[in-house]
Amino acid sequence: DAGVIQSPRHEVTEMGQEVTLRCKPISGHDYLFWYRQTMMRGLELLIYFNNNVPIDDSGMPEDRFSAKMPNASFSTLKIQPSEPRDSAVYFCASRSGYMGNTIYFGEGSWLTVV
Amino acid sequence: QKEVEQNSGPLSVPEGAIASLNCTYSDRGSQSFFWYRQYSGKSPELIMSIYSNGDKEDGRFTAQLNKASQYVSLLIRDSQPSDSATYLCAVNYEAGNTPLVFGKGTRLSVIA
């Protein structure tokens, strides 16, 4: 069974550009999470969805960040405009609400904003 | 503020020794606890979960939970160089389907 799939794996962009990160959760999972990881702050939850509905976006750092989940198999995290301090690894993770609290991570999107 | 604290390390142990990784959490109502391993440049992967006080063993790994002390640990017996990674402690603070809160991780180095 395929795991969580993220794209792009690596992105280098210039400050001010729009960045869109994509995620396909594990089939059948009804929870989807977006985390950001930096050396200084570790893994931080940005937003999570249940059955495609955003439940808590209090971790989204600024209005420049937005996330959508139009259907059960696809989510996007958008940064517009991007800034150098957004450079981080962005992980998407998913979980089945019926099988405990273990979450499964995608391979991450490594973002560098120059 | 719900927090999970870990010593950042690095923790260096010789091959074959027991590595002991520790984690404390801030909320007594926490329900479930997880250890993830993250190799450099890779995503976190689940090693173990523990829900009740006491020890839980899985192969070379033992998770220990003490809810009264708000403390969870991971022991790795017969450490191997392939165990060198960052170990993340994660806590589910509420019953039900709420997100995990992660510590910043402890970097373990197993010296051959």
Side-chain angles (χ1 to χ4, degrees), chain B residues 3-5 22-30 33 53 64-73 89 91 93:
Chain B
E3 295 182 342
V4 178
E5 298 289 340
N22 305 313
C23 170
T24 59
Y25 57 94
S26 61
D27 192 328
R28 282 190 177 276
S30 300
F33 308 85
N53 278 329
Q64 300 175 317
L65 175 61
N66 184 327
K67 289 188 176 182
S69 300
Q70 295 174 229
Y71 177 94
V72 59
S73 65
C89 174
V91 176
Y93 273 101

Side-chain angles (χ1 to χ4, degrees), chain B residues 75-98:
Chain B
L75 302 178
I76 307 175
R77 291 182 299 281
D78 188 23
S79 296
Q80 301 297 309
S82 59
D83 294 326
S84 298
T86 296
Y87 289 80
L88 302 169
C89 174
V91 176
N92 177 242
Y93 273 101
E94 300 172 16
N97 292 306
T98 54

Side-chain angles (χ1 to χ4, degrees), chain B residues 23-82:
Chain B
C23 170
T24 59
Y25 57 94
S26 61
D27 192 328
R28 282 190 177 276
S30 300
Q31 298 290 316
S32 48
F33 308 85
F34 303 81
W35 284 99
Y36 282 78
R37 177 177 61 200
Q38 186 175 23
Y39 290 113
S40 180
K42 301 295 186 182
S43 59
E45 56 180 341
L46 179 71
I47 298 175
M48 291 188 70
S49 58
I50 186 167
Y51 301 90
S52 305
N53 278 329
D55 295 0
K56 178 182 179 183
E57 186 173 318
D58 184 1
R60 296 186 297 112
F61 298 96
T62 299
Q64 300 175 317
L65 175 61
N66 184 327
K67 289 188 176 182
S69 300
Q70 295 174 229
Y71 177 94
V72 59
S73 65
L74 179 70
L75 302 178
I76 307 175
R77 291 182 299 281
D78 188 23
S79 296
Q80 301 297 309
S82 59

